[in-house]
Amino acid sequence: MTATTGSATETVGSETAIFPAVWSALGTVLDPELDEPLTDLGFVARCEVTPTSEVFVRLRLPTYFCAPNFAFLMVADAYDAVSAVRGVRRTVVELDDHFASDAINRGVAARAGFRGTFAEEAADELDGLRADFVRKAVLAGTDRVCRTAIKAGADPESLAGLTLGEAPASTDRERLRARRRELGLPFTDRDPLIVDPATGAAIDPADPAGLKRHLGLARLTRVSQEANSGVCRGMLGARYPETARVTAIHGQEQS
């Protein structure tokens, strides 16, 4: 068995070939509000791969009352990501220590969707909510990429005239590209660096006031996102003091 927990890491048998792929898959699952991987945030409490290629994942969140729609998205996305790993025969992803854990765990296991899980308490499925958060991620990512471009010598007033490919190559630029692609927005190197996250329309280079407003909103979104991330990390660390050790052990397993 390959298992990673807060207190031990045990490796036995050929299933170790699957574990790195499973952990990488979990790294693609994002907190929808923070736009950060669950693995980086410390939300993965345990990841176990058995000799029969079954995967058991346990998630935990900063508070007992984290919004159930956010929680459901993370558990369901983790289930989908792990299930897609080649060689995995069975996937179980469960959320611990949350007021809606039982309902969420049953709903994800049954593939019932959010509305099927919460019935009359759910107005609809979560596609719209997910898209709203990805649009916020586009704004925050735009600020990061533009700040890097300015540091590299770009004139702030000329940013609307740049293409995505003209921005300095970076992880942030590729994350922004991925978020735009997810929303169906222009994402190639030839497309404008700065676009409306709702429509994909380019911000007019001839409208400096419009550019300033857009960049101001992007900066505000980025600062808010990073502040929320700090609060969540602090609350998780207070609730689960072993959080840092769990993340560190997983990292050693990967390397």
Side-chain angles (χ1 to χ4, degrees):
M1 167 179 73
T2 299
T4 305
T5 67
S7 58
T9 302
E10 180 182 9
T11 304
V12 180
S14 61
E15 69 276 10
T16 55
I18 298 177
F19 186 90
V22 169
W23 187 249
S24 293
L26 286 171
T28 68
V29 181
L30 306 176
D31 178 297
E33 184 176 22
L34 305 179
D35 194 43
E36 293 186 57
L38 304 191
T39 49
D40 290 354
L41 290 164
F43 290 0
V44 181
R46 180 177 178 84
C47 179
E48 174 186 349
V49 180
T50 72
T52 56
S53 298
E54 296 176 298
V55 179
F56 297 89
V57 176
R58 303 202 74 85
L59 303 180
R60 64 203 178 171
L61 299 175
T63 77
Y64 184 74
F65 291 105
C66 283
N69 47 4
F70 296 176
F72 188 94
L73 276 175
M74 288 184 270
V75 177
D77 287 354
Y79 180 97
D80 290 342
V82 171
S83 297
V85 173
R86 184 175 182 182
V88 170
R89 295 183 178 179
R90 178 173 175 244
T91 300
V92 177
V93 179
E94 294 185 332
L95 178 64
D96 293 333
D97 302 335
H98 186 275
F99 81 93
S101 287
D102 290 346
I104 290 172
N105 294 341
R106 285 196 304 269
V108 170
R111 315 307 292 141
F114 184 72
R115 193 170 186 180
T117 299
F118 288 95
E120 69 279 358
E121 299 176 37
D124 209 337
E125 289 298 338
L126 301 177
D127 294 341
L129 177 68
R130 187 193 300 276
D132 286 343
F133 279 118
V134 177
R135 281 190 280 270
K136 290 182 179 180
V138 167
L139 279 170
T142 298
D143 180 71
R144 294 186 182 99
V145 173
C146 286
R147 286 161 62 87
T148 299
I150 291 170
K151 287 180 181 179
D155 178 358
E157 296 184 357
S158 69
L159 291 172
L162 295 181
T163 65
L164 195 57
E166 290 171 333
S170 66
T171 301
D172 284 333
R173 187 186 72 173
E174 296 314 307
R175 286 182 66 189
L176 174 60
R177 187 196 304 276
R179 301 296 180 270
R180 284 167 54 161
R181 184 173 188 171
E182 185 177 347
L183 287 172
L185 303 177
F187 64 89
T188 72
D189 280 348
R190 300 183 302 276
D191 291 313
L193 169 61
I194 305 176
V195 300
D196 185 309
T199 67
I203 301 301
D204 187 356
D207 180 12
L211 173 62
K212 185 176 180 179
R213 284 194 301 271
H214 187 88
L215 293 180
L217 178 59
R219 180 180 182 279
L220 181 63
T221 303
R222 190 261 308 165
V223 170
S224 175
Q225 190 181 77
E226 291 177 355
N228 286 340
S229 176
V231 169
C232 286
R233 289 173 188 274
M235 293 176 70
L236 186 75
R239 191 180 189 199
Y240 302 105
E242 75 280 10
T243 297
R245 178 168 173 74
V246 173
T247 303
I249 291 174
H250 277 300
Q252 293 167 9
E253 183 79 19
Q254 266 290 74
S255 60

